[in-house]
Amino acid sequence: ALNVHLTGYAKTLGSKEQLAIKEFADALMVIPRTLAVNAAQDATELAAQLCARHYAAQSDAAKEHYKHYGLDLVAGKVVDNLAAGVVEPAMSKVKSLRFATEAAISILRIDDHIKINP
C-alpha cells in the first residue's frame, strides 16, 4: 500500500525528488517479490495483483477493505489477510522501515565521502 501511495505522490512532483521517491517505492516491492520467488510462486503476477488491490483500496472508497490484502504464498494468491487471521503490528513495520531507511541513507553518505575523497 505504501508503494502505491508513494508512486502517486511522486507523480505530483516535478523535480529530482520524484525519481528518488519512485525508486524508494519500487524498492518496497522487493520484499513481496522476494518472498514469492522463495516460495516458488510467480512473483511478477502476485506483485501485480497485490499492487492492483492496494491501488483500488486507495482510489475507490467501496474497495477500501482491499487495504488488508496480502500474499498467501502456500496457495499462491492474493488474499484478505484480516479475514485469514493474519494481523501484524503496525509499529514493528514502521520501526523496521525507519531503520532500513536510515541504514540506506548512512550507506549513501559513506559512498559520497568515498567519492569526494579519492
Side-chain angles (χ1 to χ4, degrees), residues 73-96:
L73 295 173
V74 174
K77 57 185 176 179
V78 177
V79 297
D80 185 353
N81 280 342
L82 194 59
V86 178
V87 182
E88 299 177 35
M91 280 307 294
S92 65
K93 284 185 178 182
V94 169
K95 286 181 180 180
S96 297

Side-chain angles (χ1 to χ4, degrees), residues 6-117:
L6 288 175
T7 301
Y9 175 68
K11 291 178 183 178
T12 65
L13 302 174
S15 63
K16 291 181 182 179
E17 292 174 342
Q18 177 185 22
L19 299 173
I21 292 170
K22 177 67 175 116
E23 289 301 318
F24 186 80
D26 290 344
L28 293 174
M29 287 305 294
V30 169
I31 298 167
R33 282 193 180 112
T34 302
L35 290 172
V37 167
N38 289 342
Q41 300 293 339
D42 186 0
T44 305
E45 181 66 27
L46 287 174
Q49 289 177 13
L50 186 62
C51 283
R53 295 281 168 89
H54 287 173
Y55 178 78
Q58 293 180 17
S59 60
D60 187 357
K63 297 180 180 178
E64 187 179 352
H65 65 282
Y66 281 1
K67 68 182 177 183
H68 300 292
Y69 274 63
L71 300 178
D72 178 357
L73 295 173
V74 174
K77 57 185 176 179
V78 177
V79 297
D80 185 353
N81 280 342
L82 194 59
V86 178
V87 182
E88 299 177 35
M91 280 307 294
S92 65
K93 284 185 178 182
V94 169
K95 286 181 180 180
S96 297
L97 187 58
R98 184 176 294 142
F99 291 142
T101 303
E102 288 174 6
I105 290 170
S106 296
I107 291 170
L108 290 173
R109 284 187 184 142
I110 292 169
D111 190 43
D112 284 342
H113 289 303
I114 293 171
K115 286 182 181 177
I116 292 171
N117 300 320

